[in-house]
Amino acid sequence: MHGLMQDRPLSLPMLMDGLENRFSRKHVTTTQLNGTVSASYGDVAERIRRLAGVLDRLDVPAGARVGTFGWNSQRHLELYMAVPCTGRVLHTLNHRLFTEDLAYIVDDAADDVLFVDRSLLDVVRPLLDTCPSVRHVIVMDDGSPAQPPSDPRVHDYEFLLAAARPVERFRIDDERTAAALCYTSGTTGRPKGVLYDHRSIVLHAMTLLMADTFAIGENDTVMPIVPMFHVNAWGLPYAALMSGANLVMPGPVTAPERLVRSMETHKVTFAAAVATVWRGMLPHVEGADLSALRRAVSGGGGLPVSLSRAFHDKTGLPLTSSWGMTETSPLVCSARIPSEQAPSLTEDDRITALADPGPPTVLCSLRLVAEDGSLAPHDGRHRGELQVAGPTVAAAYFGSRADASAFTEDGWLRTGDVATIDPRGVVRIVDRIKDLIKSGGEWISSVELENEIMAMPDVLEAAVIAVPDEKWGERPLACVVPVPESGLTAESVRRHLSGRVAKWWIPERVVLLDRLPKTASGKFAKAALRRSMTGAKS
Amino acid sequence: MHGLMQDRPLSLPMLMDGLENRFSRKHVTTTQLNGTVSASYGDVAERIRRLAGVLDRLDVPAGARVGTFGWNSQRHLELYMAVPCTGRVLHTLNHRLFTEDLAYIVDDAADDVLFVDRSLLDVVRPLLDTCPSVRHVIVMDDGSPAQPPSDPRVHDYEFLLAAARPVERFRIDDERTAAALCYTSGTTGRPKGVLYDHRSIVLHAMTLLMADTFAIGENDTVMPIVPMFHVNAWGLPYAALMSGANLVMPGPVTAPERLVRSMETHKVTFAAAVATVWRGMLPHVEGADLSALRRAVSGGGGLPVSLSRAFHDKTGLPLTSSWGMTETSPLVCSARIPSEQAPSLTEDDRITALADPGPPTVLCSLRLVAEDGSLAPHDGRHRGELQVAGPTVAAAYFGSRADASAFTEDGWLRTGDVATIDPRGVVRIVDRIKDLIKSGGEWISSVELENEIMAMPDVLEAAVIAVPDEKWGERPLACVVPVPESGLTAESVRRHLSGRVAKWWIPERVVLLDRLPKTASGKFAKAALRRSMTGAKS
């Protein structure tokens, strides 16, 4: 027997009601190269309807991919809505990728049109000749002086918008309609596309509003420092539009001191970035008035406790960890301390606990699969590969060249991370499966070694990789970036580790470097490190 | 084009993962007539699986209705899960209804089995002969000495549970599968059934976890004082199980002083009841330690500001209003103050603002329809009938005798309430359409008059009804229950109103009564009042 409730799809057009009615006076503020612009959600809604008219005018078919090369900005926000609300697919692209990767992705997605911020034109220029699917390029003026190429396919965003007829009614009847496409920035292998639907995006945004995840509400001012091409900026733009929170967009101005100043000026209450960006902001936090800030989320990779402690020392607020993947919308876990434990924790215990990914959102189921395929218990000690299921988790990759090995036969996503889960659901990531070091038949966690090394005041960054060893199979090798002129030595690193980790975990080789290679999303590029340290191919 | 996310239904079996894993040590505490019992969610989950086995053993078909006559208790919570998780339909019944209404409802729903608390056996006894659909009656021992009838259809809950085989896997493939059935306790007309599905119940519970609605989280202890037969106790049991909050269930012990003591003893953080119950608890709040309480929600009818102010005087916490109907799961609006207004409000302004229903949840769309059928603007001044749409709102009534007049042709629910909506989405209920008084061609709001009268310290309760008038068409008549021995007179009521409402609003007739008739859900029974005051049929 079926229930008799209204058949209303969970779809992005739902959010228009809030923008046009109760949140019409809330606003998005964008830093551009030539100053700051602000617009009310009421005006943004009107522009979204015009932008929808532009897409109609350009004859972008239903289901076609609309590529974006954009900083975090109001116009990118307008694309976040207008594209999926009209049945097209928003395809955000990471402009930091190599041209050959971008050409592969635009081709794989068969992007019909591209929207590009003026300061990123140089990234798009080479694609115009190599990507035949692209019929139009629409340039968004972010204050850069770069000159658009003289090409009949190139248009100006504001010019098109001014001439467009607003679309009055958005209608997505089937909530499983594709809405957005993101490619993983895999450290190895070809990028893989994840195709979100309206349902998964709406459900994901709902979880971000919950008290036990990010608790985003109408009185927040949300600053997604994480780029809008990085898994939909972790869903924060949609969560802000759904709840009526103000948005602060850093635009192309990503210098750490400018980010901190923006947080201060706009009284940001909620900000999110990867750990390396927080690390860069740290020196500029001192003396800044961040008293409005209630939560600073770190994601997209491990959060070193030492970084969170340093942030806490300067602001009174720890960083809080989170965990997810492109394949999971992305939020699966967000740090919080279960009520049973909270009363017994010191402030430093709290900082440490909040550096773990924490328990899952209400829509995600987790399991740990041991090496022999059995389920590992959730006792906080047994390890296994973390596998995830839920309506916000991918079932397959997009595209004809898609790889199915990431999905189990019973429909769970293999995350490739080794983790423990405690009886209260708190997840701790032990390592990436491929970054674990197997030495003398026992596992060594590169993540734990990195955290211990990064806790040294004289260390800026550290990455630990496996190197082949005749006797032990593999041994850890630590690549460490010292604070300039600190006098850090390999021996002082090894001495620091002594007593903090098991003796046989201590790397024989500690290499001091000026910098570490990073992936386009800011993670340590361990595959590249391994290649340069061992000469081996990965 | 379809997205490629996992096809995981929004269904109640999702909640089992939390109960059995991360929340297994959280608990539900029930007050019975013979003492207090507590059980961990881990144990409750095991009992839910056994109870599912009982339903199989009794051959209750898929989709069949399972009626419950129960207080708020752990066993009722087990039924809330086991019945829908196995594809049957939970049908909660209000034992305060007249026997003839109950017989009508059990017959209309064609209940297959009934679960009944021992103290409520007398309510069920007459139904055994008149309701042929009922094959089994299962008695739950709440500490009452009442003797079950000697009838082969009667069984003991714990006896069946002990003998049952636990069902290992719950599976609801289609989230639109019917899950629960509630009948409206209409003040006029026959009760009408609303058939919720798994999707609507899960989505509704998700909204209760959001920061801007009830913000229910794992560190809460939730006490649903509102009965579990009253629109699923406003969804609070499901919200608590979803978030891992503890539950405190008052059981059959509903004396106001006992409720307050329970809140104190169990450090309740969140409690919800109708205004008349909060009014009853008020004298007992003085001196009680309710410091753990962070939110006290009033719903199921208007919240007089005077009541909230009195509660605030004693506890430091105002009551917060909410608005919904059986047809809306029920939560549509929950009181909160938009951020733009918050800084300028005094404490008393805040109390007054939180007595309004507030803005809608993220899943509900609202509109106001004027008398001429046009849409009224959301400017806080124009009035219209409040209409609601969303996936948590009914599309039709259950049963062959269902009435479709409550639903518009374009699929919105007519609420029967006249309201205003301000530009920030805050809803104010002006009156029920049928309780508005039309005097000399102008509308008088009975709700506003009642609130003004109930603000008098010497007034316990007040209801204002329309009476026919030769000159004006209708005039208001106020029925007032004075505080005993307060010396309140009709003239002092009229004097109090003078200057507070328009002169022509002041009722010529103020009748002092010992008590007001109430409906089974605690609202003023205005239809009955009108009958007794005017002799007219309603």
Side-chain angles (χ1 to χ4, degrees):
Chain A
M1 185 169 50
H2 264 60
L4 293 167
M5 306 306 279
Q6 294 182 6
D7 194 12
R8 301 267 168 176
L10 299 172
S11 65
L12 288 170
M14 274 175 51
L15 304 188
M16 294 302 290
D17 182 25
L19 298 187
E20 292 175 331
N21 293 299
R22 53 196 191 280
F23 309 135
S24 64
R25 295 198 274 202
K26 306 303 299 282
H27 48 79
V28 51
T29 303
T30 306
T31 310
Q32 298 193 155
L33 292 170
N34 54 353
T36 297
V37 291
S38 191
S40 73
Y41 285 166
D43 290 344
V44 168
E46 212 262 326
R47 287 168 58 90
I48 289 167
R49 295 197 181 277
R50 286 185 170 276
L51 179 54
V54 169
L55 297 170
D56 286 353
R57 188 63 174 275
L58 296 176
D59 283 328
V60 180
R65 270 71 65 203
V66 173
T68 66
F69 286 91
W71 302 102
N72 292 11
S73 74
Q74 177 194 327
R75 292 196 188 94
H76 212 164
L77 185 71
E78 290 159 8
L79 285 159
Y80 260 50
M81 287 294 289
V83 175
C85 282
T86 55
R88 286 105 178 179
V89 178
L90 177 80
H91 175 208
T92 52
L93 285 129
N94 181 348
H95 56 82
R96 290 182 190 136
L97 293 173
F98 291 115
T99 299
E100 63 189 50
D101 280 335
L102 287 175
Y104 170 85
I105 294 174
V106 171
D107 182 56
D108 193 57
D111 288 329
D112 185 52
V113 298
L114 296 179
F115 284 76
V116 53
D117 266 334
R118 194 159 167 179
S119 65
L120 299 174
L121 273 171
D122 282 346
V123 180
V124 172
R125 235 178 281 267
L127 303 175
L128 287 179
D129 299 327
T130 53
C131 297
S133 66
V134 178
R135 295 187 301 116
H136 298 286
V137 175
I138 295 95
V139 180
M140 303 182 282
D141 187 354
D142 60 0
S144 154
Q147 280 307 312
S150 170
D151 186 307
R153 289 173 291 177
V154 175
H155 314 272
D156 176 72
Y157 185 96
E158 292 299 330
F159 185 85
L160 292 179
L161 214 67
R165 178 201 299 263
V167 173
E168 280 190 23
R169 183 139 185 253
F170 293 145
R171 190 169 167 168
I172 301 292
D173 286 330
D174 178 355
E175 65 190 32
R176 297 298 305 264
T177 302
L181 177 65
C182 290
Y183 278 74
T184 60
S185 56
T187 45
T188 55
R190 282 294 200 183
K192 288 168 280 191
V194 178
L195 191 62
Y196 312 102
D197 51 36
H198 282 261
R199 171 181 165 98
S200 70
I201 289 177
V202 167
L203 289 173
H204 183 264
M206 287 177 71
T207 64
L208 269 51
L209 272 50
M210 291 184 183
D212 280 354
T213 54
F214 292 164
I216 290 173
E218 189 268 328
N219 54 0
D220 271 316
T221 297
V222 173
M223 180 165 166
I225 301 173
V226 51
M228 289 175 83
F229 57 72
H230 187 173
V231 211
N232 300 326
W234 302 344
L236 294 169
Y238 291 123
L241 297 184
M242 181 181 271
S243 64
N246 291 324
L247 275 165
V248 173
M249 297 295 203
V253 182
T254 56
E257 64 273 23
R258 295 290 300 275
L259 294 175
V260 173
R261 206 185 310 157
S262 232
M263 288 173 67
E264 184 176 23
T265 306
H266 302 296
K267 297 188 170 50
V268 166
T269 62
F270 183 102
V274 296
T276 47
V277 169
W278 284 119
R279 186 179 288 279
M281 290 165 70
L282 193 58
H284 309 284
V285 162
E286 189 103 48
D289 175 8
L290 300 184
S291 55
L293 193 65
R294 68 167 181 83
R295 183 140 178 172
V297 169
S298 179
L303 167 61
V305 176
S306 52
L307 172 60
S308 180
R309 197 177 286 126
F311 193 85
H312 178 267
D313 286 348
K314 292 176 192 239
T315 65
L317 200 72
L319 297 173
T320 60
S321 187
S322 60
W323 184 89
M325 301 169 70
T326 306
E327 292 84 343
T328 60
S329 294
L331 194 73
V332 173
C333 294
S334 72
R336 69 174 295 274
I337 296 166
S339 58
E340 203 184 339
Q341 291 175 303
S344 63
L345 298 191
T346 66
E347 187 66 10
D348 200 65
D349 292 340
R350 280 191 68 242
I351 296 168
T352 306
L354 292 172
D356 282 321
T361 70
V362 299
L363 293 178
C364 290
S365 298
L366 306 180
R367 68 184 186 188
L368 293 177
V369 180
E371 273 184 286
D372 63 1
S374 66
L375 291 183
H378 296 192
D379 59 6
R381 291 181 298 108
H382 281 79
R383 297 167 172 203
E385 182 183 25
L386 186 63
Q387 299 191 349
V388 189
T392 55
V393 179
Y397 289 115
F398 172 79
S400 53
R401 288 166 285 189
D403 165 22
S405 65
F407 306 96
T408 68
E409 276 185 24
D410 58 347
W412 290 62
L413 171 74
R414 296 186 224 271
T415 68
D417 274 350
V418 177
T420 63
I421 305 178
D422 83 3
R424 299 177 197 88
V426 173
V427 171
R428 288 188 184 87
I429 302 295
V430 175
D431 218 331
R432 294 292 297 166
I433 287 179
K434 62 179 186 298
D435 293 337
L436 271 176
I437 299 151
K438 196 154 197 178
S439 181
E442 298 282 342
W443 293 109
I444 297 176
S445 161
S446 66
V447 168
E448 283 184 42
L449 280 173
E450 286 160 7
N451 281 343
E452 288 297 346
I453 296 171
M454 282 198 277
M456 295 178 73
D458 291 346
V459 170
L460 271 184
E461 289 178 337
V464 174
I465 56 172
V467 289
D469 184 275
E470 276 199 16
K471 184 167 174 197
W472 301 107
E474 287 181 343
R475 287 297 297 157
L477 178 151
C479 303
V480 178
V481 181
V483 170
E485 296 165 32
S486 63
L488 185 86
T489 64
E491 200 39 51
S492 62
V493 171
R494 289 170 40 80
R495 213 161 41 230
H496 171 82
L497 290 175
S498 169
R500 289 186 163 86
V501 299
K503 200 166 173 198
W504 60 274
W505 279 36
I506 300 177
E508 287 75 22
R509 289 177 60 196
V510 176
V511 182
L512 303 185
L513 299 172
D514 287 341
R515 51 176 289 281
L516 292 175
K518 301 217 177 71
T519 68
S521 60
K523 299 176 194 174
F524 296 139
K526 290 199 176 181
L529 257 187
R530 258 195 302 271
R531 276 195 301 273
S532 69
M533 288 294 152
T534 63
K537 292 205 173 160
S538 152
Chain B
M1 185 168 50
H2 263 63
L4 293 166
M5 305 307 279
Q6 293 182 8
D7 194 12
R8 302 268 169 176
L10 298 172
S11 65
L12 289 170
M14 276 175 50
L15 304 188
M16 294 301 290
D17 183 25
L19 298 187
E20 291 175 333
N21 291 299
R22 52 195 194 280
F23 309 135
S24 64
R25 296 198 272 202
K26 305 304 299 281
H27 47 79
V28 51
T29 304
T30 306
T31 310
Q32 299 193 154
L33 291 169
N34 53 354
T36 298
V37 291
S38 191
S40 73
Y41 285 166
D43 289 345
V44 168
E46 212 262 327
R47 288 169 57 90
I48 289 168
R49 294 197 181 279
R50 287 186 171 275
L51 180 54
V54 169
L55 297 171
D56 287 352
R57 188 64 176 275
L58 296 176
D59 284 327
V60 180
R65 270 71 64 203
V66 173
T68 66
F69 286 90
W71 302 101
N72 292 10
S73 74
Q74 176 194 327
R75 293 195 187 94
H76 211 164
L77 185 70
E78 291 160 7
L79 285 159
Y80 260 51
M81 286 294 289
V83 174
C85 282
T86 55
R88 286 107 177 177
V89 178
L90 177 80
H91 175 209
T92 52
L93 286 131
N94 181 347
H95 57 81
R96 290 182 191 136
L97 293 173
F98 291 116
T99 298
E100 63 189 50
D101 281 334
L102 286 174
Y104 171 84
I105 293 174
V106 170
D107 183 55
D108 193 58
D111 289 327
D112 186 52
V113 297
L114 296 179
F115 285 75
V116 53
D117 267 334
R118 195 160 168 179
S119 63
L120 299 174
L121 273 170
D122 281 346
V123 180
V124 172
R125 235 179 281 267
L127 303 175
L128 288 178
D129 298 328
T130 53
C131 297
S133 67
V134 178
R135 295 187 300 116
H136 298 285
V137 175
I138 296 95
V139 179
M140 305 181 283
D141 186 355
D142 60 0
S144 154
Q147 280 307 310
S150 171
D151 187 307
R153 290 173 291 178
V154 174
H155 314 273
D156 176 72
Y157 186 96
E158 292 299 330
F159 185 85
L160 291 179
L161 214 67
R165 177 200 299 264
V167 172
E168 281 191 23
R169 183 137 185 254
F170 292 145
R171 191 169 167 167
I172 301 292
D173 286 329
D174 179 355
E175 64 190 34
R176 298 297 306 263
T177 302
L181 177 65
C182 290
Y183 278 73
T184 61
S185 56
T187 43
T188 56
R190 280 294 199 182
K192 288 168 279 192
V194 178
L195 191 62
Y196 311 103
D197 51 36
H198 282 261
R199 172 183 166 97
S200 70
I201 289 178
V202 168
L203 288 173
H204 183 265
M206 287 178 71
T207 64
L208 269 49
L209 272 49
M210 291 186 185
D212 280 354
T213 52
F214 291 166
I216 290 173
E218 188 269 328
N219 55 0
D220 271 317
T221 296
V222 174
M223 181 163 166
I225 300 172
V226 50
M228 289 175 84
F229 56 72
H230 186 172
V231 210
N232 300 325
W234 301 345
L236 293 169
Y238 291 124
L241 297 183
M242 181 181 271
S243 64
N246 291 325
L247 275 166
V248 173
M249 297 294 204
V253 182
T254 56
E257 64 273 26
R258 295 291 300 277
L259 294 175
V260 174
R261 206 186 308 158
S262 229
M263 289 174 67
E264 183 175 25
T265 306
H266 302 296
K267 298 187 169 50
V268 167
T269 62
F270 183 103
V274 296
T276 45
V277 169
W278 283 119
R279 187 178 289 278
M281 290 165 70
L282 193 58
H284 310 285
V285 163
E286 188 101 48
D289 175 9
L290 300 185
S291 55
L293 194 65
R294 68 166 181 84
R295 184 142 179 171
V297 169
S298 178
L303 166 61
V305 176
S306 53
L307 172 60
S308 180
R309 197 177 286 127
F311 194 84
H312 178 268
D313 286 348
K314 291 176 193 241
T315 65
L317 200 72
L319 297 172
T320 61
S321 187
S322 60
W323 185 89
M325 302 169 69
T326 306
E327 291 85 342
T328 60
S329 294
L331 194 73
V332 172
C333 294
S334 73
R336 69 175 292 276
I337 295 166
S339 57
E340 201 184 339
Q341 290 174 303
S344 63
L345 297 191
T346 66
E347 187 65 11
D348 200 65
D349 291 340
R350 280 190 69 242
I351 296 169
T352 305
L354 292 172
D356 281 323
T361 71
V362 299
L363 293 177
C364 289
S365 299
L366 305 181
R367 68 183 187 189
L368 293 177
V369 179
E371 273 184 286
D372 63 2
S374 66
L375 290 183
H378 296 193
D379 59 6
R381 290 179 298 111
H382 281 80
R383 298 166 171 202
E385 182 184 24
L386 185 63
Q387 299 191 349
V388 190
T392 55
V393 179
Y397 289 114
F398 172 80
S400 53
R401 287 166 285 189
D403 166 21
S405 65
F407 306 96
T408 68
E409 276 185 25
D410 58 346
W412 291 63
L413 172 74
R414 295 186 225 270
T415 67
D417 273 351
V418 177
T420 63
I421 305 178
D422 83 3
R424 299 176 198 88
V426 173
V427 172
R428 288 187 185 86
I429 303 294
V430 176
D431 217 331
R432 295 291 297 164
I433 288 178
K434 61 180 186 301
D435 293 337
L436 272 175
I437 299 150
K438 196 155 197 177
S439 181
E442 300 281 342
W443 293 109
I444 297 175
S445 162
S446 66
V447 167
E448 283 183 43
L449 281 173
E450 286 160 8
N451 282 342
E452 289 297 346
I453 297 171
M454 281 196 278
M456 296 178 73
D458 290 347
V459 170
L460 271 185
E461 289 178 337
V464 174
I465 56 173
V467 288
D469 185 273
E470 276 198 19
K471 183 168 175 196
W472 301 106
E474 287 182 342
R475 287 297 299 157
L477 179 152
C479 303
V480 179
V481 181
V483 170
E485 295 165 33
S486 63
L488 186 86
T489 64
E491 200 39 50
S492 62
V493 171
R494 289 169 41 81
R495 213 162 40 230
H496 170 82
L497 290 175
S498 170
R500 287 186 164 85
V501 299
K503 200 165 174 200
W504 59 275
W505 279 36
I506 300 177
E508 288 75 24
R509 288 178 60 197
V510 176
V511 182
L512 302 184
L513 299 172
D514 288 340
R515 50 176 291 281
L516 293 175
K518 299 216 178 69
T519 68
S521 59
K523 299 176 197 174
F524 297 137
K526 290 200 177 180
L529 256 187
R530 257 193 303 270
R531 276 195 299 274
S532 70
M533 288 295 154
T534 65
K537 289 204 175 165
S538 155

